[in-house]
Structures are given as structure tokens and as C-alpha cells.
Amino acid sequence: MKLTGAQIVCESLLLEGVDVVFGIPGGAILPLYQTMSSYPDLKHILTRHEEGASMAADGYARSTGKVGVCMATSGPGATNLVTGIATAQMDSVPMVAITGQVGRAALGKDAFQETDISGITLPITKHSYLVMKPEDIAPAIKEAFYIANTGRPGPVLIDIPKDVFTEETEFIYPETLDLPGYKPVIDGDQFQVEKANKLIAEAERPVILAGHGVIISRAYNELLELAEKAQIPVITTLLGRSSFPDAHILFAGMPGMHGMAYASLAIDEADLVIGLGMRFDDRITGNVDLFAPNAKIIHVDIDPAEIDKNVKTDVPIIGDLARVLRQINKIVKPKTHTKWLKRVEKLKIDHPSLRIRETDKLLPQQVVRDLCEITDGKSIVVTGVGQHQMWAAQHYAAKEPNLFLTSGGLGSMGYEVPAALGAQIGRPDKVVWSVAGDGGFQMTMSELATIVENNLPVKFAIFNNGYLGMVHQWQDIFYGKDYYATSYTGNPDFVKLAEAFGILGIRVTEKGQSLDAIRQAMDHDGPVVVDFVLAKEENVYPMIPAGQSTADLMEEKFDDMEVSKRGYIS
Amino acid sequence: MVQDKPGVLNKLAGMVRRRGFNISSLTVAHSEQNNYSRMTFVVEGDEATINQVINQLYKIIEVVKVSDITKENVVIRELALIKVATTPTNRPEIFQLVEVFRSNILDVSSDSVIIEVTGDENKVDSLLAILEPFGIKEVMRTGRVGLIRGISNSI
């Protein structure tokens, strides 16, 4: 049967199991939109900005494990997608972005709203297509979904000129893929697995460093089994938060720049680091020469290019994490590390990184704790980037897997609003809390309208200190308190702003109001914005300055603590 | 070996640039297989760097096979076209040098000749050095291409 290019796009998306797309129409993509109107099974969410569309697709993808789909028109529509695409690329999120392009005859002529979006996104996509013939659409979509959500997931862009949407051709959805250069390794090499097993058997002070790969590969049970069987403490990266239960006796925190001090110190003392689905990011390692100085390293990752990229590995295993862990678990011998586990417990006692000081002030750390208490750690938390993100990562103890969504690699402020929108669409069964900074929130708050329009009950906790808090903190510590361009003195009244969108707004200024406000938000049948007007000048600790090591660790000091160790903040 | 698709060279060059690797020579042309091109490029770096380059190259979907031929038993050749200034008096001397280097004269005009030379990089460099005193007007080098001897390195 002959179909138009636009019909082929819609049919192909349905065959790939797509039920929702996020986007904004415009001239070049209009033929596709006009066709989508007769495909009610493809629900379209009309965002207010294309960055909202790409980040909503990201939130949808992370919360469901399915490919998130976003659409935009040529030129500015396409370029507005870019930050969301880059966010997905850095954090390995499966996404397909479809952009309209000027007609083929106008390509390369600097036509109205023409931009080379496949060129622009070259370094921030896993793959991209410029489809020049309608018969190439179906194979491109088939390949795009396969590439986006296999191996190390990532975004794929498909750019389609306007007249390709309207030309007709025979629609045949390919059954096979022709990708001779793309064959992700799934099973770990048995020889390497046995070498890893030997290192695990020999280790006296092992730690597991669990990353986003655990969540992507849904390797929660396999991780739990390995940790329990061989009695290995589990440390998670920022994107690995909620991959292992916080309440588990073997959980030993998050390491790195703003991780728990005991996690970083445990890595210092470890004689074996088992990196699982993570990439030894500089926020974790600090100075790589001083990272895990006493440890051999096992690195399991599906992306061969991650092996030896940042940290030299003793045993590399390439493969899908859940499968590799099953291979390891099959041969690993039960072990105990009583002395080592006691040592890790001692580090936790000596370095109470999660302790909150007694004060009447409304502290951001306490707000996260309150949120965790009222939600019972079972809500999805979507954060922005900065101080509030770190406090959320430290203090939100999720009780179920994959409840913590954050832009870790790219660090995209503004992620918290659209990604929460996308997560709520992906997981209507869950309460979604957007833990937002007042800075990031204002970058994407126009999506509140999208949230209202689609009756999404997203709850927002704005961590409002009137600062670009993390930058302010760096100015405080590293730039001689020269607080230039980090203070928002003209912030809107967020309660009135919420009301203007038709959303319930609540303001919290006192410590005692926090729990009630969160409870009220949870009970409210619809979206809520809670404006937490916080104690200003609060810094995130612990802190290891960029490129340094635990020798430069800064921690908060408590009066009743025996303080002798390094770098306490008074 | 890469699939013949639009933009492959751009992807490859972009990857190498943004990862901070340095290409000193690059050639690309059709291979013995339909729809596949063979690229030869020279990247300077230690073993860890080269391994990273190879791994990063494999992340490009159209890249089908990457071989580090540095330590292999390989034949490497480069072709150069050299335009040298001539006078009626030094022309015989230049012609003689061309013969010694088993290169060819492709064009003779009143005040210059174009020489074609094929060989490894050293040979091309030597000829250029020897011709230098006569006055080299233009040089066009293809960059190095290479194949492993004996065994088939196809896909």
C-alpha cells in the first residue's frame, strides 16, 4: 500500500510501540503533524518550548526504560531541542528526536528556518539520519529505535525534509536491520569473568561502585546478590542512586565531590573497586592519580570506549550488566569481610556526612528529609542541577529502584520541570516530585502550562534561596567571596506564579511548616508548587574540590564531635 | 572499513577533533566491496591513546572494522604531485633525479615541471628535500594508504 512519508513516520512509530511524543509543530514539520491528527494512538504532548519536549522525552525514557520521542520543526525548533539531546547523550538515555527540515530543493540555500541540525547534533547523538527519500523513512526509524535502546543507550536524530513527508511510496516496515558496524556485546567474556571472580575471592577490602548501568540494565537483583553473597559494601554514583536500597546494611553512600565522606574514604582504603555500569567520571574520581590508590579495578560496562578511558582497569568486562553479573554470581564464592565492614561502619560514625545540624532555620537538607519521610521514599524525585540536586542525592533514601532522575553528566539546569512532566506521563502510578532550584525552575517553568493542560499532578518543591547556589558556593570557597552575578533579587512570587497557571501554591518559610506543606501537596489532587524559602548561605558538604582527593576533603563540624581529622568547616 | 554513507567522514573527523586526538594524514576511497570505503589515517599517540581512538571509532555506527596496522607487516604508500621551477639549464638535472627516484614527469611547461612520485613517506620527503633548491612551487600529497601483507583483512 502506498503511504505518504508522514504516514510512514506514524505507522513506524506505532510499530515501535510509541504511545506518546513530545513536541511543537512548525512549518517544516507541519505535514507530519497534520497526519498525526488521524493517529489518536500517538498521543502528542504540546510543550511550551522544544527544550521542554526533549527533556520531557528524557524523563519519560528514564522512568520507563522505553525510548522517549520528541519532535520539532526545522531551524529554531530543532536547535531548541539541543540541550535535551545532549543531556540524554551524556546520561545514556534512549531517545529519538524527529525534526522537520526545509524542502529538498531549498537545502543548503540558507532557506527560512533552515539549520544543519544533523551537523549540529553530531557530537551529541549516538547516531543521526538525514532522510532524503520517503522509502528511507521506515528503515531509519527501525534502526533509530534499535540503536537508541540497545548497547549503551543514547539519542538518535532523524531529520526529514518537508517534501519527503508528502511524497508517497510503498510502505514496508523492514524486519531485519542492516547495521554491519553496530553489534553491541551482550555477554561478558568468560575468561575475564573468571579473572574478576579471582580478584573478588582474593580481596579483603572490596567495594562495589554501582552506576546508571544498574538501572538501565535493571540489574538490581543481580547487584544485590553479588553484594550479599560476597559481602561487599555498595557505593552508588549520582546516577546510580536508587539502584541499591539505602536501608541495606551494605549500602555505603555516594562518593565524590559532594558524596558522603565515608564513601570516598572507603574507596581510598579499598583493595578492590568493582565499577558496575559507570564511567569513573571526574566528579567521582577527583584527581585520577590519587583515586583508589590501593585498589585493583574491575570495570564492567557495555561501552568498550569507557574501558581505560579515565581509570586504568585490571579486569575489563564488556557486556550487559545484568548478564555479566549473573555470570559472576554463578561462580563467586560466599565470603565474609567482617573486619572491613566494621571499618566501613567506623568511617560512617567518624564522618557523619548526612547529619543535619540543630537549628531553627529552614535547612534545605531537612526539607529533603521531610520529603523522604512523607513520601516514604516511594515517590519519583526529579532534580535540577546544583546544591539542591546534591542535597536530594544525599538525603533522599529511595525505597524502590529507579526513583531518582537527574541530569548528571551534562548538568542541565532546568531539567527538573520538563523531565518531571515526562516522568509523570511515563509513570502515572507514581507521585512525581520535582526538586527544583529557583534558578533552574525559572529556565523551564513555562512547562507548568503543559502540566496543567495535561492534568498531571506533578509536585514541585522549589529550593528557593535567591541564589545560583552552587556557583555562589564556589565563589564563597574558591573566588574570595566575590559574589558576582549569582543573586536573584527579582524572583517572582512563586505562589502567585503557580496560581497564575491554575496550580495550588504553598509557601514555607519556617522549619515547622515543612512536613505539613509536603503532606498537603501529596493530598492535593493535582499539581502543586511549594516554595521553600530557605536559609541562605547554606553550602553543600562534604566537598572535595574539583581535581583533588580526600586529602582535601571538607566536612561540616559538629560541636559534640571529636574533631581531629582533616579539613572540617567551622 | 566504513559504510559508504553521507557524513561518515564528518563524523569521524568530528570525533577525532573533540576527543583531542591529532590526525596527521587521512585518505578515503572506495574499497573492494560495494558500499564500503577504506580509510587510512595516521594518528600520533601512545598505546592508550590509540586504543581510545579505536574504541571511539567503533562507536560511530557506520564504522565496521578498525585495524591498528602500526605494528603489522604492512605496505604503506603515498603519492605526491610536485611542481618544481625549472630553467633550460637545470632541467636535465631534474629529469635525472626523477629517474633515480623512479618517479614520473607528468607535465612540462616553460618554467616548471610536474613530478609524480609514489612511495613511502620517507621517499617522498627525500625527493622533496632534493628538489627544494630548484624551487618547489606547489605540492599535493595524498597522505598515506596502507594494506596488511598476506592475510585478508576484509570484513
Side-chain angles (χ1 to χ4, degrees):
Chain A
M1 189 178 48
K2 281 208 166 188
L3 297 180
T4 65
Q7 286 172 318
I8 291 173
V9 172
C10 296
E11 296 285 345
S12 305
L13 290 179
L14 286 175
L15 286 170
E16 289 298 333
V18 175
D19 47 20
V20 61
V21 298
F22 304 88
I24 302 182
I29 202 169
L30 208 48
L32 174 58
Y33 268 75
Q34 294 312 109
T35 306
M36 268 166 61
S37 69
S38 28
Y39 285 84
D41 290 343
L42 285 176
K43 186 176 162 66
H44 180 263
I45 304 291
L46 179 64
T47 59
R48 290 304 188 269
H49 189 285
E50 289 85 353
E51 181 181 301
S54 52
M55 287 184 173
D58 174 307
Y60 173 87
R62 290 194 211 216
S63 64
T64 60
K66 290 170 68 178
V67 177
V69 182
C70 55
M71 287 179 181
T73 195
S74 63
T79 54
N80 280 347
L81 291 175
V82 164
T83 306
I85 294 173
T87 304
Q89 169 81 348
M90 284 292 268
D91 287 349
S92 315
V93 177
M95 179 187 291
V96 169
I98 298 174
T99 48
Q101 182 57 277
V102 300
R104 282 169 288 186
L107 263 177
K109 308 275 167 60
D110 301 323
F112 176 65
Q113 291 196 330
E114 179 184 0
T115 189
D116 173 17
I117 193 61
S118 55
I120 287 170
T121 56
L122 206 69
I124 55 161
T125 47
K126 189 172 172 186
H127 195 49
S128 55
Y129 296 87
L130 171 57
V131 180
M132 293 296 278
K133 303 193 293 274
E135 54 269 35
D136 289 346
I137 292 177
I141 291 180
K142 170 110 183 163
E143 288 175 15
F145 276 81
Y146 178 72
I147 290 168
N149 211 12
T150 53
R152 178 180 182 169
V156 180
L157 179 112
I158 306 174
D159 196 25
I160 307 176
K162 185 172 186 176
D163 57 328
V164 177
F165 284 126
T166 48
E167 204 173 289
E168 285 194 345
T169 188
E170 202 64 39
F171 174 58
I172 309 155
Y173 204 60
E175 281 173 19
T176 53
L177 293 146
D178 180 27
L179 293 168
Y182 181 71
K183 294 191 177 69
V185 176
I186 301 299
D187 289 311
D189 180 85
Q190 194 57 32
F191 178 70
Q192 296 293 340
V193 167
E194 276 158 28
K195 267 169 76 180
N197 179 48
K198 189 159 173 286
L199 285 190
I200 294 169
E202 287 166 0
E204 289 175 3
R205 299 183 307 281
V207 294
I208 287 171
L209 200 40
H212 197 193
V214 180
I215 291 167
I216 296 168
S217 174
R218 293 188 178 81
Y220 316 112
N221 293 332
E222 288 81 359
L223 169 62
L224 200 63
E225 186 184 335
L226 174 63
E228 289 182 347
K229 208 166 164 190
Q231 292 288 295
I232 305 173
V234 176
I235 292 169
T236 65
T237 67
L238 176 64
L239 289 190
R241 294 292 285 126
S242 80
S243 68
F244 190 82
D246 278 44
H248 199 287
I249 184 105
L250 288 168
F251 179 64
M254 172 179 91
M257 182 175 279
H258 291 297
M260 294 68 145
Y262 47 83
S264 301
L265 293 166
I267 292 173
D268 270 5
E269 294 183 17
D271 65 354
L272 178 67
V273 170
I274 307 166
L276 301 178
M278 48 81 67
R279 58 189 178 89
F280 295 102
D281 174 76
D282 57 274
R283 258 45 182 167
I284 296 277
T285 62
N287 182 345
V288 281
D289 295 332
L290 299 175
F291 175 76
N294 305 303
K296 293 205 162 147
I297 292 185
I298 298 170
H299 190 184
V300 185
D301 204 278
I302 198 153
D303 180 359
E306 287 304 334
I307 304 298
D308 289 341
K309 187 182 82 179
N310 295 337
V311 167
K312 186 96 183 88
T313 307
D314 295 280
V315 179
I317 307 177
I318 295 155
D320 174 70
L321 188 55
R323 294 172 79 126
V324 172
L325 282 175
R326 266 176 249 145
Q327 287 174 273
I328 295 175
N329 289 340
K330 206 178 276 175
I331 54 173
V332 85
K333 295 263 182 321
K335 274 191 82 175
T336 53
H337 297 286
T338 318
K339 212 173 135 196
W340 172 231
L341 293 180
K342 273 191 184 148
R343 174 64 191 153
V344 174
E345 282 312 302
K346 181 78 165 64
L347 286 172
K348 286 184 187 172
I349 292 163
D350 288 349
H351 301 271
S353 304
L354 296 185
R355 185 168 161 185
I356 301 175
R357 70 172 190 277
E358 304 276 331
T359 172
D360 295 334
K361 289 182 185 169
L362 180 62
L363 290 185
Q365 302 90 320
Q366 187 59 48
V367 173
V368 179
R369 285 283 184 83
D370 293 348
L371 195 64
C372 195
E373 186 185 325
I374 303 296
T375 61
D376 193 26
K378 288 177 178 166
S379 289
I380 294 178
V381 164
V382 183
T383 83
V385 172
Q387 288 185 314
H388 68 281
Q389 176 190 33
M390 293 298 113
W391 284 314
Q394 290 174 343
H395 295 277
Y396 189 73
K399 285 193 178 160
E400 293 164 13
N402 195 19
L403 293 187
F404 190 76
L405 313 187
T406 195
S407 167
L410 195 70
S412 315
M413 283 174 66
Y415 179 79
E416 57 262 59
V417 184
L421 182 171
Q424 186 72 79
I425 287 175
R427 293 293 307 272
D429 57 315
K430 295 302 265 184
V431 176
V432 175
W433 271 93
S434 167
V435 169
D438 56 305
F441 184 79
Q442 289 180 79
M443 290 186 177
T444 48
M445 65 189 181
S446 52
E447 300 308 336
L448 289 179
T450 316
I451 283 167
V452 170
E453 223 162 61
N454 291 283
N455 300 312
L456 300 170
V458 180
K459 321 294 180 193
F460 290 88
I462 302 179
F463 281 49
N464 181 1
N465 61 1
Y467 286 143
L468 290 165
M470 189 58 91
V471 184
H472 192 268
Q473 174 166 345
W474 282 49
Q475 291 172 331
D476 183 37
I477 301 174
F478 306 118
Y479 292 89
K481 300 186 191 299
D482 177 13
Y483 302 120
Y484 183 69
T486 46
S487 189
Y488 282 143
T489 52
N491 266 352
D493 177 332
F494 289 114
V495 171
K496 279 190 186 156
L497 182 90
E499 285 163 359
F501 280 100
I503 293 176
L504 173 65
I506 304 171
R507 177 162 296 115
V508 174
T509 53
E510 308 289 329
K511 187 182 176 184
Q513 302 167 333
S514 166
L515 284 168
D516 277 346
I518 297 166
R519 232 176 256 127
Q520 192 190 342
M522 290 289 277
D523 292 342
H524 181 71
D525 184 25
V528 182
V529 170
V530 188
D531 177 21
F532 290 95
V533 183
L534 299 167
K536 292 172 90 89
E537 318 292 346
E538 198 64 23
N539 280 350
V540 183
Y541 292 111
M543 179 171 195
I544 299 172
Q548 301 195 28
S549 71
T550 48
D552 307 292
L553 178 66
M554 295 184 259
E555 300 184 77
E556 204 166 350
K557 176 181 138 187
F558 295 97
D559 294 338
D560 59 344
M561 267 175 57
E562 217 183 293
V563 179
S564 57
K565 297 175 199 71
R566 43 200 159 182
Y568 284 94
I569 304 303
S570 51
Chain B
M1 291 285 276
V2 302
Q3 283 181 288
D4 258 341
K5 297 248 170 108
V8 178
L9 182 60
N10 192 4
K11 283 185 188 184
L12 203 140
M15 185 281 289
V16 169
R17 174 192 57 77
R18 72 176 182 274
R19 301 260 175 204
F21 307 127
N22 206 358
I23 294 185
S24 52
S25 152
L26 169 71
T27 59
V28 51
H30 293 295
S31 73
E32 71 283 359
Q33 272 162 289
N34 280 343
N35 307 320
Y36 288 93
S37 285
R38 187 169 250 120
M39 289 181 157
T40 306
F41 61 98
V42 180
V43 182
E44 322 254 332
D46 58 15
E47 203 181 322
T49 308
I50 301 306
N51 284 336
Q52 258 300 302
V53 174
I54 292 171
N55 285 336
Q56 295 294 346
L57 281 171
Y58 271 122
K59 287 181 79 161
I60 298 169
I61 306 287
E62 295 92 340
V63 173
V64 180
K65 187 169 182 187
V66 186
S67 312
D68 175 9
I69 58 172
T70 317
K71 290 175 188 153
E72 302 284 344
N73 186 7
V74 284
V75 177
I76 293 181
R77 286 292 178 271
E78 176 171 13
L79 183 142
L81 299 178
I82 308 165
K83 190 185 283 177
V84 188
T86 54
T87 59
T89 45
N90 67 17
R91 205 176 277 149
E93 190 183 348
I94 290 172
F95 280 30
Q96 242 177 8
L97 287 168
V98 165
E99 203 145 303
V100 171
F101 274 81
R102 287 185 214 149
S103 41
N104 299 311
I105 304 283
L106 298 186
D107 181 66
V108 180
S109 58
S110 59
D111 58 354
S112 69
V113 294
I114 295 176
I115 300 165
E116 173 202 38
V117 60
T118 308
D120 62 16
E121 205 190 8
N122 282 339
K123 179 176 170 184
V124 177
D125 285 346
S126 312
L127 180 58
L128 279 168
I130 282 171
L131 293 173
E132 182 69 49
F134 299 101
I136 292 171
K137 300 175 98 171
E138 281 173 60
V139 179
M140 182 72 212
R141 297 174 73 152
T142 58
R144 282 165 270 182
V145 294
L147 278 183
I148 302 177
R149 291 176 202 267
I151 59 151
S152 167
N153 194 35
S154 201
I155 47 169

